[in-house]
Amino acid sequence: MPILLPDSSQTSTDSLTPRQIVAELDKYVVGQAAAKRAVAVALRNRMRRQKLPPELAEEVAPKNILMIGPTGVGKTEIARRLARLAQSPFIKVEASKFTEVGYVGRDVESMVRDLVELGVEMIRSERLEEVRAKARQNAEERLLDLLLPPSRPLTPGEEAGARDQQSHTREWFREQLRDGRLDGRIVEVDVREKSFPSLEIISGGSIEEVGINLNDTMQGLFQGGRSKKRKLRVPEALEYLAQEEEQKLIDMESVARAAVDRVEQSGIIFVDEIDKIAGREGSHGPDVSREGVQRDILPIVEGTTVNTKHGMVRTDHILFIAAGAFHVSKPSDLIPELQGRFPIRVELEALGKDEFVRILTEPRSALVKQYTALMGTEGITLSFTDDAIHKIADFATLVNERTENIGARRLATVMEKLLDEISFEGLDLENKIVTIDDAYVTKMLADIVKNEDLTRYIL
């Protein structure tokens, strides 16, 4: 599951100390100091490595991390925020989705291919920002050519005056275009027809091993293929032409090379549910391929070269962060070789009432802030008292204790139940100022206390 990273820290990543990295993570994730410390050191070591001489830097391998803790305590969020902070290509995969070579399913090398695709998109987006102004300018010139009648040939005697007149007319149209006064006009634009859907010819022993991408191979034949005239309004035509110009200004071969380099030097792969493949010899039934999956993942983590459509990618310096609850199995159930590739192990603590109170209020994207902003879009002023927040945390803790403990994810269940009436009524509410206090929380969530079974509140 690729995760896009649209924003970045205002602070230069190279200047961040481990203490500052932890402080940045504290803005989004509550508690888990040991895990934050481990990932902060790993990120800082990556920065230190880049300053080493090339021959020594090649020998410094990343210290992969294994996070151990129950669901909903922040394992994925810490890794995701770390990648966003470093602006690194980041992908989250679930180990249980992979199968041993020879079985039908996802090949482990697909995680690297997906990471490269994400890296290409990141580099392409950065290049787009660089050329956007130039592309817009070129598109504007093309659109003016469509709006203005073709210039007639000039005689030698009228060259200077006629050119001035044509230039004046063009600038007048440019002002009209920028002011939006030509938005109602229709122009005819040459629109390239889309080619047939991408087909992949498979070679090798795995469905993920793509030998030839037919769409890429035939692109040269069909790229400049048929185009047709389409009538578009001026704003739509300008947008289409701007996109065309952007593609012309971006060298995709250069983008691919930069993406491969960024993935190799700063990519992060988060392998979740690694405890689900912690099986050893002697298992039966569907567990038979667990050790096989581990052995397939091992060379990727150790360092190998993966063939992608953008080139060969080395995984030697990609940072791997694995995570699992390890309720049934334990880290020692993994094969010894794989255990050795995750030298740093951190245990994340289960969350209780105090952490829930902080999660509801402290992070930048805290649930209370989210619901207040959502209701504010419809003119509803929503406010929570301190007693109400503590009561919500009490109910979430109670449900986690009596049923499956799903950590902070339980807060989303409780908040939806609490604000069900307000969310449903919305604009129809007569009183647009709503205060959520202790009594309101007790009234809305009383069924949770009465119902010992609690089955309908389990996600």
Side-chain angles (χ1 to χ4, degrees):
M1 182 181 67
I3 299 175
L4 298 180
L5 310 172
D7 57 341
S8 61
S9 172
Q10 294 180 350
T11 310
S12 173
T13 308
D14 291 340
S15 65
L16 287 176
T17 65
R19 194 181 305 277
Q20 291 171 327
I21 293 170
V22 171
E24 288 288 328
L25 295 174
D26 284 340
K27 296 176 182 177
Y28 302 97
V29 183
V30 170
Q32 313 303 355
K36 291 176 182 175
R37 186 185 181 98
V39 298
V41 171
L43 181 59
R44 187 63 185 175
N45 281 339
R46 172 170 279 180
M47 301 172 197
R48 292 164 177 156
R49 174 183 167 271
Q50 293 173 356
K51 298 176 182 178
L52 295 175
E55 62 276 6
L56 182 57
E58 185 65 26
E59 301 298 325
V60 178
K63 304 303 183 288
N64 299 322
I65 300 168
L66 177 62
M67 294 185 181
I68 305 167
T71 183
V73 296
K75 300 188 295 292
T76 304
E77 193 64 17
I78 288 174
R80 178 182 295 138
R81 294 295 176 180
L82 180 76
R84 182 165 295 178
L85 180 64
Q87 279 297 285
S88 300
F90 172 85
I91 191 171
K92 173 182 179 289
V93 297
E94 295 178 0
S96 56
K97 295 292 179 68
F98 297 113
T99 58
E100 187 177 1
V101 171
Y103 289 80
V104 176
R106 295 215 75 191
D107 175 12
V108 292
E109 290 186 353
S110 64
M111 68 174 79
V112 180
R113 296 191 184 102
D114 291 344
L115 188 65
V116 172
E117 291 297 332
L118 184 61
V120 168
E121 187 57 35
M122 286 181 67
I123 300 291
R124 181 176 171 276
S125 298
E126 293 171 7
R127 301 281 174 89
L128 279 177
E129 290 298 322
E130 297 173 4
V131 304
R132 182 157 286 138
K134 177 66 175 175
R136 189 82 177 181
Q137 182 181 343
N138 293 349
E140 193 177 83
E141 296 297 333
R142 288 178 61 186
L143 187 56
L144 289 174
D145 291 339
L146 295 173
L147 288 168
L148 290 168
S151 303
R152 63 181 178 83
L154 301 177
T155 61
E158 59 178 359
E159 282 187 5
R163 283 203 184 93
D164 289 343
Q165 180 64 30
Q166 289 176 359
S167 176
H168 177 76
T169 303
R170 191 176 185 87
E171 291 307 313
W172 182 85
F173 265 88
R174 192 189 307 277
E175 291 178 9
Q176 298 286 307
L177 175 63
R178 291 177 177 175
D179 291 342
R181 298 175 189 172
L182 303 180
D183 288 355
R185 286 207 181 191
I186 304 292
V187 294
E188 277 195 350
V189 181
D190 287 326
V191 177
R192 183 175 293 122
E193 291 182 334
K194 293 183 179 179
S195 59
F196 50 80
S198 174
L199 298 175
E200 293 180 347
I201 298 177
I202 310 300
S203 66
S206 168
I207 196 168
E208 294 287 347
E209 295 176 10
V210 181
I212 302 172
N213 187 312
L214 188 57
N215 190 49
D216 291 342
T217 306
M218 304 298 287
Q219 189 174 9
L221 297 176
F222 294 96
Q223 184 74 29
R226 294 180 301 176
S227 61
K228 62 179 181 180
K229 297 277 189 182
R230 279 190 60 190
K231 292 184 177 181
L232 300 174
R233 292 189 178 276
V234 164
E236 297 171 351
L238 183 61
E239 186 64 30
Y240 176 79
L241 294 174
Q243 291 178 4
E244 268 198 355
E245 292 298 321
E246 287 172 353
Q247 299 306 319
K248 291 179 183 177
L249 292 171
I250 294 177
D251 179 6
M252 288 307 296
E253 289 186 5
S254 171
V255 167
R257 287 195 299 270
V260 168
D261 182 67
R262 182 174 296 188
V263 165
E264 289 182 339
Q265 302 303 323
S266 63
I268 299 176
I269 295 181
F270 183 81
V271 185
D272 202 6
E273 295 185 355
I274 198 167
D275 57 316
K276 303 297 191 299
I277 61 168
R280 303 301 295 272
E281 293 92 339
S283 57
H284 301 283
D287 297 337
V288 69
S289 67
R290 286 185 176 184
E291 185 175 343
V293 175
Q294 294 181 57
R295 295 201 177 277
D296 289 345
I297 290 178
L298 180 61
I300 304 292
V301 181
E302 281 185 330
T304 187
T305 302
V306 177
N307 185 19
T308 74
K309 72 176 184 179
H310 299 291
M312 306 298 286
V313 178
R314 293 178 57 198
T315 65
D316 301 67
H317 299 289
I318 293 176
L319 176 63
F320 289 86
I321 302 176
F326 289 98
H327 288 312
V328 178
S329 58
K330 50 188 182 294
S332 59
D333 289 334
L334 295 168
I335 59 175
E337 300 92 332
L338 192 58
Q339 291 181 49
R341 299 310 298 181
F342 290 91
I344 302 175
R345 298 183 185 180
V346 289
E347 191 165 347
L348 285 83
E349 302 168 357
L351 303 176
K353 177 190 171 182
D354 293 340
E355 288 79 18
F356 284 169
V357 170
R358 295 179 59 196
I359 290 169
L360 285 168
T361 56
E362 289 184 13
R364 287 186 175 178
S365 55
L367 279 174
V368 167
K369 297 175 184 176
Q370 291 181 28
Y371 280 100
T372 302
L374 284 172
M375 294 299 103
T377 62
E378 297 186 343
I380 301 170
T381 303
L382 193 62
S383 61
F384 292 78
T385 66
D386 290 341
D387 288 342
I389 289 173
H390 281 80
K391 183 65 73 174
I392 294 169
D394 279 334
F395 279 116
T397 306
L398 177 67
V399 179
N400 273 346
E401 288 175 352
R402 294 186 178 181
T403 62
E404 187 72 24
N405 187 348
I406 59 173
R409 293 187 177 95
R410 184 68 66 190
L411 291 172
T413 318
V414 175
M415 289 290 286
E416 280 295 322
K417 171 66 176 173
L418 173 66
L419 300 175
D420 180 67
E421 286 187 6
I422 298 173
S423 297
F424 185 79
E425 296 293 337
L427 291 172
D428 298 330
L429 282 175
E430 294 182 5
N431 183 12
K432 298 292 185 181
I433 300 177
V434 181
T435 300
I436 307 296
D437 55 16
D438 185 289
Y440 186 88
V441 175
T442 302
K443 181 185 76 170
M444 295 301 297
L445 302 180
D447 289 346
I448 294 183
V449 178
K450 293 177 182 177
N451 184 3
E452 288 295 328
D453 183 33
L454 300 172
T455 53
R456 54 197 178 115
Y457 298 106
I458 300 176
L459 280 175

